[in-house]
Amino acid sequence: MVINSSIGEFLRRSTPSSVIEQWLTTARTDFAPAAMAISAAAHTPHQTIRFADAALQAGEVSCAQLTQLRQPDLRIERATSVAANSSWDVSGLMPARLAPAFCRVEGSIEGSIDFEVWLPLEDNWNGRMLGTGNGGFAGTILTNGLVHGLQRGFATSSTNTGHHDWEQNWAVGNTRAQENYTHRAQHLTAVNAKVIIEAFYGRAPDHNYFMG
C-alpha cells in the first residue's frame, strides 16, 4: 500500500505507531481483496452468452431484450431505453441533464446484490467499462458515478454491495454479507457487467476501470 508522503508524515508525527500499524493492517485486509477481485474481473475469459430465446444473438439485441439474458445467479429485472437529454436526479443532488441516450439495465446477483449498468448506444460507446464504488457502508446505487461514466462514453456499473442502506444489522453474524460488502459484490458486478456489455454490443470491452 502506498500512502501520500505528506499524509504519511502527518500520521507518523501525530499518531502512536501501534495505531498506525493497526490501521494499515485493517486497510490491507479490507481493501486489498477488493482490488484483487476487480483486477481478476478485468481478466475474466469470454463467457458463452445465452438468452431465453435461442434465436437471439449477442450484438443483435435491443435494450429491452437484455431481460432475456440467462446467466447463473443473474436476474435482470428491467432494461429500459432512456432518451437523449433526459433529466436525471443524481443521488439526491441537483438533476443532471444526460446528453447521450442509453440503455439502463437493473438487476440482481444471487438475489441480494443489486446493480445497474448504463450502456451508451453503440455510436457513443468508447469501448471501455467503468465500475463505480460508493462511500461509507454503501447500501445504495449511486447515480452520480453512473452519470460520470456515461457522459464520458463508458459502459458504467454500480452496486449496492449486497445490502440496503436502511438495513441496520445487515452485517451482524452474516459473513457472506460482510464479504459482499468488502469485495465480493464488486467482483460479481464486474463479471456480470462484462457479460451484459458483450450481449448488447456483440463484443467485450477493450479495457476495464474502477472508480471509487
Side-chain angles (χ1 to χ4, degrees), residues 74-143:
L74 170 66
R75 178 180 174 85
I76 296 181
E77 309 285 350
R78 287 173 294 276
T80 311
S81 295
V82 180
N85 297 313
S86 297
S87 181
W88 202 270
D89 182 25
V90 183
S91 300
L93 303 178
M94 294 295 291
R97 181 70 64 181
L98 303 182
F102 69 100
C103 175
R104 180 191 185 192
V105 180
E106 302 168 80
S108 62
I109 304 165
E110 298 181 342
S112 62
I113 301 171
D114 293 343
F115 73 90
E116 291 195 24
V117 180
W118 288 13
L119 304 165
L121 300 188
E122 188 167 11
D123 289 345
N124 293 320
W125 184 40
N126 63 15
R128 294 176 286 178
M129 182 184 89
L130 176 67
T132 61
N134 30 27
F137 288 110
T140 188
I141 292 171
L142 293 183
T143 53

Side-chain angles (χ1 to χ4, degrees), residues 19 24 47 49 52 61-62 64 68 70 91-92 95 109 117-118 120 139 164 166 173 177 181 186 192-193 198 200 208:
V19 175
L24 288 173
Q47 301 188 46
I49 308 297
V61 298
S62 67
Q68 297 199 45
R70 295 293 181 266
S91 300
I109 304 165
V117 180
W118 288 13
H164 299 99
W166 43 262
Y181 166 66
Q186 287 290 358
N192 284 281
E198 188 165 353
F200 189 60
N208 309 277

Side-chain angles (χ1 to χ4, degrees), residues 176-199:
R176 177 46 57 88
Q178 296 169 21
E179 292 174 347
N180 286 342
Y181 166 66
T182 55
H183 62 95
R184 190 169 175 272
Q186 287 290 358
H187 168 70
L188 293 178
T189 297
V191 169
N192 284 281
K194 290 180 69 176
V195 173
I196 293 169
I197 289 168
E198 188 165 353

